Amino acid sequence: MVNIGILGVGTVGTSVANILEANGDIIEARAGKKIIAKAGVVKNLSKDRAVSIKLSDNPSDIIDDPEIDIVVELMGGVEEPYELVKRALSNGKAVVTANKALLAYHRYELQELAGDIPFMYEASTAGGIPVIGALRSGLSANHIESMQGIMNGTCNYMLTKMINEGANYDDILKEAQELGYAEADPTFDVGGFDASHKLLILASIAYGIDAKPEDILIEGIENITQTDVAFAKEFGYEIKLLGIAKKVEEGIELRVHSTMIPQSSMIAKVDGVMNAVTVVGDRVGETMYYGAGAGGDATASAVIADIVDIVRGNREPMLGYKEGFQSNLKLLSRDEIVTHYYLRLMVDDQSGVLASITSTLGKFGISIESMLQKPTNDDDIAKLLFTTHICQESKMQDAIKALSALSVVHGDIAMMRIEK
Ligand code: HSE
């Protein structure tokens, strides 16, 4: 028999305890041993919870209990779970976590501390989708060329509603919160931070790259308007919040931002709260992983898969590489990113304006690919919408500054990156 202790018995923790009981037969058949949720730790003992396990509000009741074999950390946050997980590891207990923020900041320290003690985290990225297992094991023969992920269900739900139903941003955010997908602080979702944590976890396995959220480009979906949605439709694009990892000659690009992608691509068809990750390996080609990225049972499904793996004796290296491996791949800076761009700007509707815009872009070597002009409520002002051929991010940022300084340009210039 294997005893589990759960730190944090919220939605996912409750599902873990309940699935271990309800699906105990198949889980035992697969793991080779009976797995029992022995105890849980919660902050507030007076809150009603739909579980029958013994609860306490003292983490030591799990971490220091010699009968607990595996500690499942589902608390959220960073520093408190970090301290508790370190204590669990130093007590020799295997750890399973769904905590992406903990891993975004401390995965390398935890890997070192864990050593030979199993440390698994499938549920941290894209909930119930077994993409970490796929990257760490299934694709281990490959150099990973690129990854694109829809890894935040809240943003995908909101964008789908904005695109398909013309929904208003604030209303739809409220709906996503009511459905229970959004983080306690939704800026974590809509600002792209949640997706960035997941991207960094995947990038460690794919490339052996040790990066923190502050090292990469992170933008959210806050500035998308119905004008952008209409433009995207007209030019054959979907808008998605993507986590992107790309191996290029100079190194690795890691970035999270709202992105226009061709409507014909597989990932463009992933709607609502669903998550998907495409991984391109140099030998296998494109692979895609799709499913529920959040929710109690889906996330618990991944947590229990890790527990089963540990009970079976699986001892894969935590981040997928043998001890001592050092990646020689360089993480490119934001300025070095190269991609296509979409720009939206308000300009005076008069002769010569287009020429001054195109010549300003030309000064930075930026070439326009397509363009649309739309009237506004003001007869003297027009909206200009462009896409560009590929150019370097630093050039685009400089060009936006130069365009903003033109007297014929009004207000902020909106920009979105395009991946083809
Ligand atoms: N807030 C996250 C989402 C939950 O919307 O996908 C899973 O990490």
Side-chain angles (χ1 to χ4, degrees):
M1 196 171 73
V2 174
N3 286 320
I4 308 299
I6 304 172
L7 297 175
V9 190
T11 314
V12 179
T14 301
S15 283
V16 169
N18 291 339
I19 295 172
L20 281 174
E21 202 175 315
N23 285 6
D25 51 352
I26 190 74
I27 293 170
E28 182 175 348
R30 290 187 170 135
K33 283 185 188 158
K34 192 160 185 59
I35 301 171
I36 304 283
K38 182 170 181 261
V41 166
V42 295
K43 284 222 160 71
N44 179 2
L45 272 174
S46 56
K47 200 165 151 191
D48 266 352
R49 288 163 215 270
V51 277
S52 53
I53 60 171
K54 197 176 90 196
L55 295 178
S56 111
D57 57 4
N58 183 0
S60 300
D61 290 344
I62 283 178
I63 290 172
D64 300 320
D65 178 349
E67 286 182 9
I68 296 283
D69 304 293
I70 302 175
V71 171
V72 175
E73 186 277 304
L74 303 171
M75 306 167 58
V78 178
E79 293 315 320
E80 193 188 353
Y82 183 42
E83 291 312 314
L84 296 176
V85 163
K86 282 198 290 189
R87 272 178 54 199
L89 289 171
S90 58
N91 282 348
K93 298 190 191 306
V95 172
V96 174
T97 182
N99 187 335
K100 61 228 155 182
L102 169 70
L103 295 168
Y105 287 97
H106 294 301
R107 61 199 181 283
Y108 283 92
E109 293 100 309
L110 288 169
Q111 173 177 250
E112 197 169 325
L113 211 75
D116 290 335
I117 301 169
F119 190 113
M120 307 278 274
Y121 50 97
E122 181 63 70
S124 66
T125 300
I129 309 174
V131 60
I132 287 176
L135 262 182
R136 196 170 45 198
S137 305
L139 301 178
S140 57
N142 291 262
H143 289 288
I144 304 302
E145 292 180 341
S146 65
M147 299 189 286
Q148 281 190 345
I150 293 175
M151 296 180 288
N152 184 271
T154 302
C155 287
N156 208 45
Y157 181 79
M158 291 175 66
L159 288 172
T160 303
K161 289 272 184 171
M162 284 170 73
I163 292 165
N164 295 354
E165 296 168 22
N168 166 287
Y169 182 93
D170 294 322
D171 294 344
I172 211 65
L173 174 57
K174 203 161 154 262
E175 208 177 299
Q177 285 176 293
E178 279 161 13
L179 285 167
Y181 285 98
E183 300 296 316
D185 172 3
T187 53
F188 198 64
D189 294 298
V190 296
F193 303 104
D194 172 78
S196 79
H197 292 173
K198 297 164 180 170
L199 179 70
L200 290 172
I201 294 167
L202 296 185
S204 280
I205 310 170
Y207 301 111
I209 286 245
D210 179 5
K212 301 260 187 306
E214 43 277 15
D215 302 329
I216 69 167
L217 166 66
I218 305 172
E219 289 174 6
I221 64 167
E222 301 99 321
N223 297 325
I224 297 170
T225 65
Q226 284 298 337
T227 302
D228 309 323
V229 167
F231 177 91
K233 278 187 185 159
E234 196 160 337
F235 283 83
Y237 294 113
E238 281 289 338
I239 300 175
K240 296 289 180 194
L241 180 84
L242 291 186
I244 297 171
K246 217 190 261 186
K247 190 161 150 192
V248 294
E249 216 172 298
E250 301 77 19
I252 303 290
E253 289 182 8
L254 292 183
R255 46 195 165 102
V256 173
H257 49 72
S258 42
T259 317
M260 287 193 189
I261 46 171
Q263 279 165 351
S264 56
S265 67
M266 293 244 285
I267 204 158
K269 300 181 189 356
V270 174
D271 278 342
V273 293
M274 300 310 277
N275 282 199
V277 182
T278 63
V279 181
V280 180
D282 63 345
R283 299 294 154 157
V284 70
E286 183 174 20
T287 62
M288 184 166 173
Y289 312 87
Y290 168 88
D297 278 5
T299 309
S301 161
V303 168
I304 294 172
D306 281 348
I307 296 172
V308 169
D309 256 359
I310 292 171
V311 174
R312 281 171 170 165
N314 188 340
R315 294 292 176 266
E316 283 170 13
M318 178 185 157
L319 294 170
Y321 297 91
K322 288 287 185 195
E323 209 185 324
F325 168 79
Q326 291 241 302
S327 172
N328 57 7
L329 293 167
K330 174 181 163 240
L331 176 65
L332 297 182
S333 71
R334 172 193 179 129
D335 282 350
E336 293 170 291
I337 290 166
V338 175
T339 190
H340 295 259
Y341 293 85
Y342 158 84
L343 294 179
R344 160 170 48 86
L345 54 163
M346 305 286 257
V347 296
D348 286 337
D349 195 1
Q350 64 192 33
S351 71
V353 168
L354 214 49
S356 67
I357 301 241
T358 52
S359 82
T360 303
L361 287 171
K363 277 186 204 145
F364 296 93
I366 299 171
S367 156
I368 292 173
E369 187 180 57
S370 61
M371 203 208 84
L372 201 62
Q373 178 169 333
K374 294 272 187 194
T376 66
N377 293 335
D378 181 340
D379 283 348
D380 298 326
I381 303 281
K383 243 181 233 171
L384 279 185
L385 313 166
F386 293 101
T387 63
T388 74
H389 289 285
I390 56 165
C391 77
Q392 203 171 18
E393 177 86 13
S394 59
K395 294 264 190 317
M396 178 51 75
Q397 294 294 347
D398 289 345
I400 289 173
K401 273 190 213 124
L403 287 173
S404 301
L406 296 176
S407 61
V408 294
V409 173
H410 302 282
D412 289 339
I413 297 175
M415 178 266 269
M416 205 183 310
R417 298 171 192 82
I418 304 173
E419 290 292 313
K420 301 207 178 191

